[in-house]
Amino acid sequence: MNNYDLVVIGAGPGGTPAAQQAAMMGKNVLLIDDRGEPGGECLFDGCIPSKILEESADNFYLSNHMSIFDVEVDGTTKINWANVVKKKDKIVSQRSLAALKNLNKILTFKKGTASFLSDKTILITSTDGNNETVSFEKAVIATGSSPFIPPIKGNGVKNLWTNKEMFDEEDLPESLLVIGGGPIGVEFAQMLSKLGVKCIIVERFNRILGPVDEEFAERIQIKMKKENNIDIYVSTNVLEVNFTDDCFKVKCEKEGQIFTIDADRAIISVGRTATVQNLALEKAGVNFDIKGIAVNEFLQTKNPNIYAVGDVIKGPKFAHVATYEAGIAMHNMFNPKKIAVDFNKVSWVLFSDPEIASAGFNLQEALNLGMDVIEGQYNYNEDARAQINENDTGALKFVVDKKNHRIVGIQIMVEGASGIIGEAALIVSAKLTLEDVASAIHPHPTLTESFGVLAKQMIFSLKK
């Protein structure tokens, strides 16, 4: 039986960097993944595929709206979606193969499904029947998450798309019903609507984009209805999903009224669930429930020699957060002085149109925590760069501690927010104040100069 200093289960954005970091420390590391290729959900069925497809959709849409820049285009613009999907597959494969080549230089990588036999041994089940048992000193669980499919009646549930099926589909439908108006559902609906697909969103809560700043969510919803011709049903429950004659018939209920929505295809995006099945966690002394594996602030499970990171644990579910957690876990695993995770500085981007990005707390979150804060706002319809880009819809918001002027949260809605959220993340992480930001010299004309303008405005406002 082979013994390893560290066994990592899952080769996504949490497991791969954890394994790499340990290997670079000189540890004997085994990395196990059921795909047999590093990258995880993010690379194969998440962040990367969606952005590749969205890039083509955005450029196709822009090519049909060049008149806003006084550019005249003769003829009809077409998009070869099958080729776009093939390009996606090529990029994903290239990235995974490059990562695997680097990993093979420093650690052992095995394809298979891992399950615990005890708190010190793991069974690796391979598709070729060559099963293997290995022992370990320490382990990291980074198996990620999977789309959550709620219990819905009807014969069409098995035909519903998830993100995986949609990313692999080479033929665009004429219409698409999106069950779930969260970030994933909104991204998909906007992307496909730009390609001429009629999209309908059904959301059980009273607004779309529940985790997002309410004002931003409302402005996105208005734009989706007006410019993207997307029908949005909020406070609406899906009762039954049927699939007949290559068409979905989805029975819905809103305020006591029952109605049916027809669509060529339907996709479900109502959340994700931790991938813990088949791990036999109870044999390793690891606690978990429907929300994921329970860990402490140091990312240790109930078994102090087993850590968990990424979507499989209770916490923010982003690829970049998983990578951050991997670094924390490896430090804590091999150092006596431990570091606690700090989710108060998490940043994220919603690749909607326009983009929405956030770092730290929004106003309501800060108030719920009892903070004495004030919110300031800069509107991008006054911004030179946004006007030049013909994308001046949106705003920048700072959430600031009234006493020390520390910026505890930043929210952005503007096309290009993904390019400037890095500065916001640094401001929140470094615990900078309005005065710190105002003292920087931001280049003109750029979207990022809005940070300096808003900081100065709020300094003057707080002095009154």
Side-chain angles (χ1 to χ4, degrees):
M1 182 189 303
N2 290 322
N3 182 69
Y4 294 91
D5 298 325
L6 173 66
V7 172
V8 179
I9 307 172
T16 298
Q20 287 175 314
Q21 188 170 332
M24 288 187 287
M25 294 177 188
K27 306 299 180 182
N28 183 21
V29 179
L30 170 62
L31 177 59
I32 308 167
D33 190 86
D34 57 3
R35 273 194 179 95
E37 300 172 289
E41 186 80 2
C42 174
L43 177 60
F44 291 100
D45 299 313
C47 322
I48 303 303
S50 65
K51 303 311 166 283
I52 295 170
L53 301 185
E54 285 172 16
E55 186 71 16
S56 290
D58 288 344
N59 280 292
F60 173 72
Y61 183 81
L62 181 61
S63 70
N64 289 315
H65 294 80
M66 291 299 290
S67 59
I68 62 173
F69 297 106
D70 300 309
V71 176
E72 297 180 3
V73 179
D74 293 328
T76 303
T77 305
K78 297 181 180 179
I79 187 166
N80 189 325
W81 193 247
N83 281 354
V84 174
V85 173
K86 288 182 176 68
K87 180 179 74 172
K88 178 264 296 182
D89 293 338
K90 181 180 178 181
I91 293 174
V92 166
S93 178
Q94 286 175 339
R95 292 188 63 81
S96 182
L97 288 173
L100 181 59
K101 183 178 179 180
N102 290 329
L103 288 171
N104 283 334
K105 296 176 183 178
I106 59 174
L107 53 77
T108 302
F109 185 89
K110 289 182 181 292
K111 178 181 179 180
T113 302
S115 58
F116 288 95
L117 296 175
S118 71
D119 61 354
K120 285 294 182 180
T121 55
I122 288 174
L123 173 66
I124 305 171
T125 303
S126 176
T127 54
D128 61 12
N130 294 322
N131 299 342
E132 180 184 1
T133 299
V134 299
S135 60
F136 62 89
E137 301 302 318
K138 296 181 183 298
V140 172
I141 303 167
T143 46
S145 63
S146 307
F148 172 64
I149 311 296
I152 304 174
K153 295 180 180 179
N155 68 358
V157 175
K158 64 181 182 296
N159 300 102
L160 288 171
W161 282 354
T162 64
N163 50 305
K164 177 175 174 55
E165 288 78 24
M166 200 202 78
F167 292 152
D168 292 337
E169 181 58 52
E170 295 186 0
D171 296 318
L172 292 171
E174 290 188 13
S175 58
L176 176 73
L177 173 63
V178 181
I179 302 174
I184 296 174
V186 166
E187 279 194 38
F188 287 166
Q190 283 196 304
M191 176 183 74
L192 290 175
S193 70
K194 291 177 180 180
L195 299 169
V197 178
K198 173 60 182 178
C199 293
I200 308 106
I201 292 178
V202 174
E203 168 58 49
R204 63 178 295 205
F205 294 109
N206 62 2
R207 70 178 179 96
I208 62 170
L209 299 175
V212 173
D213 178 278
E214 188 168 357
E215 178 192 349
F216 289 175
E218 183 178 350
R219 291 170 76 165
I220 286 283
Q221 180 167 322
I222 291 171
K223 181 171 184 177
M224 290 173 70
K225 289 181 176 180
K226 182 178 179 182
E227 296 184 20
N228 303 128
N229 192 32
I230 297 172
D231 296 335
I232 301 174
Y233 296 85
V234 296
S235 303
T236 302
N237 293 309
V238 172
L239 303 179
E240 193 170 334
V241 176
N242 289 305
F243 188 70
T244 306
D245 298 328
D246 203 32
C247 178
F248 280 92
K249 296 185 178 296
V250 180
K251 184 184 293 186
C252 301
E253 180 272 327
K254 179 180 174 69
E255 297 175 352
Q257 299 297 313
I258 306 296
F259 58 97
T260 299
I261 299 174
D262 294 349
D264 291 332
R265 294 293 176 264
I267 186 169
I268 188 152
S269 57
V270 294
R272 301 184 66 82
T273 182
T275 305
V276 295
Q277 62 271 27
N278 303 321
L279 284 171
L281 295 175
E282 62 281 356
K283 294 182 180 179
V286 174
N287 287 347
F288 67 98
D289 60 24
I290 192 171
K291 294 182 179 179
I293 294 174
V295 295
N296 61 17
E297 69 271 29
F298 306 121
L299 299 174
Q300 287 174 301
T301 68
K302 185 181 179 183
N303 182 332
N305 291 316
I306 299 178
Y307 289 65
V309 300
D311 283 10
V312 77
I313 69 171
K314 303 174 183 180
K317 299 189 184 304
F318 302 104
H320 49 283
V321 173
T323 302
Y324 160 75
E325 291 167 347
I328 297 291
M330 289 304 93
H331 172 90
N332 292 340
M333 185 174 285
F334 298 112
N335 288 277
K337 187 175 181 181
K338 299 191 184 304
I339 300 173
V341 290
D342 181 7
F343 293 137
N344 294 337
K345 59 185 181 183
V346 168
S347 62
W348 52 262
V349 180
L350 167 60
F351 291 89
S352 52
D353 181 10
E355 294 175 342
I356 297 176
S358 176
F361 302 112
N362 63 32
L363 177 62
Q364 193 57 55
E365 289 169 340
L367 292 175
N368 289 345
L369 290 171
M371 295 182 179
D372 186 16
V373 294
I374 187 173
E375 183 181 73
Q377 181 167 317
Y378 171 94
N379 291 312
Y380 280 108
N381 59 12
E382 304 170 0
D383 186 88
R385 183 75 257 175
Q387 291 172 354
I388 293 167
N389 294 345
E390 293 287 351
N391 279 306
D392 60 357
T393 298
L396 167 70
K397 296 182 179 182
F398 283 176
V399 179
V400 177
D401 189 305
K402 290 180 182 178
K403 294 181 181 178
N404 57 22
H405 294 187
R406 176 190 159 197
I407 303 171
V408 299
I410 299 176
Q411 285 74 50
I412 310 168
M413 183 177 78
V414 69
E415 194 54 39
S418 60
I420 61 175
I421 189 61
E423 179 171 348
L426 184 59
I427 289 169
V428 173
S429 179
K431 302 180 180 181
L432 300 186
T433 64
L434 291 172
E435 288 74 14
D436 292 326
V437 176
S439 67
I441 302 174
H442 290 85
H444 174 77
T446 65
L447 293 175
T448 190
E449 67 182 315
S450 58
F451 286 77
V453 174
L454 180 55
K456 291 170 186 174
Q457 289 176 351
M458 293 190 72
I459 289 171
F460 288 128
S461 176
L462 287 166
K463 285 181 178 179
K464 290 181 181 179

